[in-house]
Amino acid sequence: MMEVVYSSISKDEKVYTTVTLHEDVDIHGGNVEVGCWVPNSDSRAACAKNTKSEAIRLLKLALAELDS
């Protein structure tokens, strides 16, 4: 399950968003949360798309660091 949360905080025409990923692996499950600044948009769909792209970029960087 993925959830995108939009913050009311905006700065320099960007909005802070949080992506929460929840995986039910076993009875405990697990969560990963990524917060990022993305260009503000009147369209929630465009904002969600930008958020997903930025979250993927940040997660790739984090995974590369963990792997090294």
Side-chain angles (χ1 to χ4, degrees):
M1 179 181 94
M2 184 186 84
E3 177 183 19
V4 177
V5 177
Y6 305 94
S7 171
S8 59
I9 301 170
S10 59
K11 181 171 111 175
D12 299 329
E13 297 186 20
K14 292 193 173 195
V15 64
Y16 190 78
T17 58
T18 305
V19 176
T20 303
L21 304 166
H22 180 76
E23 183 65 37
D24 290 322
V25 178
D26 53 23
I27 61 171
H28 301 290
N31 289 317
V32 174
E33 189 170 286
V34 179
C36 54
W37 290 94
V38 297
N40 201 356
S41 174
D42 291 336
S43 164
R44 287 290 188 201
C47 195
K49 181 180 175 186
N50 291 335
T51 298
K52 290 176 189 177
S53 295
E54 182 63 7
I56 288 169
R57 186 188 73 79
L58 292 171
L59 285 168
K60 284 180 180 178
L61 289 173
L63 287 171
E65 285 295 317
L66 284 171
D67 198 34
S68 64

